[in-house]
Amino acid sequence: TVLTQFRSKPYRNKRLSNAATMSLSAKEKNIVRDFFKKVSSRSEEVGTEALSRMLTVYPQTKSYFAHWKDLSPGSPPVRKHGITIMGGVYDAVSKVDDLVGGLLTLSELHAFMLRIDPVNFKILSHCMLVVLSMLFPEDFTPQVHLAVDKFLALLALALAEKYR
Amino acid sequence: KKVQIGVRAPWKGIFGKAAILKVLIVYPWTQRHFGTFGEFPNDDTIIGNAKVIAHGKVVLRSLDKAVKNMDNIMGVYTSLSRYHCEVLRVDPENFRLLADCIIVSIGSKNSSDLTPHVQATWHKFLSAVVEAMGSQYSNRA
């Protein structure tokens, strides 16, 4: 019937979730810095895996990479871009005290040139969390998960700063 | 049936242009599909752009078809979904943004008609449309 069709998966306004007023405590910033120091030896792997998973699990994200020849998991363009993204993440870690100010240029790049819909930042963040939990099972405690999730959300917010 | 009547009542078809302009102005990154950066320095250039106007009309025509075929919205949008996915490479989030703007546009043009209940009806209808437009994306190899 018409009603059962409508009842399935109404689109939820994801843009309104995730309080914009939350911020990282000093303790959480230290957790983020320490954890990413541990991750640094495998950061290329993290970036490649996260991106590969995003493209596979959320195929609509492929729409932004029409110019790549190979979108399969672990392919050369995916690997290369994974490194770029992790470079950005580490840059953000070093600027965790002022993400908005520190990521201004990156935000302008995403806002005016790339124009990626900000909903995708959340998707990639989620994929990163999955990969981090898989590659660092002992270090990725619930407290670390919490701090990193908040950090990535704030990173996404800083990236979206210049959008409008 | 109530859902179907609710959707058909305020359907005047005038807000298609308003909705697409809104989405391009309120969510400026959506302009990426209509031109290179810098091509729309102000709202007037967006309003005058032929591609934008044409797309507004196309969206409206498809919504009209969906209203007339509410029992098979998936079917109405299958080929359009594939086209947006494989050829146009549009992030399906854009469909959600446009749906939001359509509802806002209906509200501004038909403020007396858009009661909470009618808004809920429109939201349900457009949710189905948005889902149908995104349906072919998961099938991509």
Side-chain angles (χ1 to χ4, degrees), chain A residues 68-100:
Chain A
W68 285 358
K69 283 198 177 68
D70 186 359
L71 284 161
S72 57
S75 71
V78 169
R79 179 159 249 115
K80 180 163 176 253
H81 197 59
I83 295 173
T84 306
I85 291 175
M86 286 314 285
V89 170
Y90 273 90
D91 188 37
V93 173
S94 70
K95 295 170 178 164
V96 72
D97 288 316
D98 178 21
L99 283 171
V100 172

Side-chain angles (χ1 to χ4, degrees), chain B residues 31-43:
Chain B
Q31 291 169 25
R32 75 195 304 274
H33 295 293
F34 292 94
T36 52
F37 176 64
E39 208 174 308
F40 300 118
N42 54 51
D43 298 350

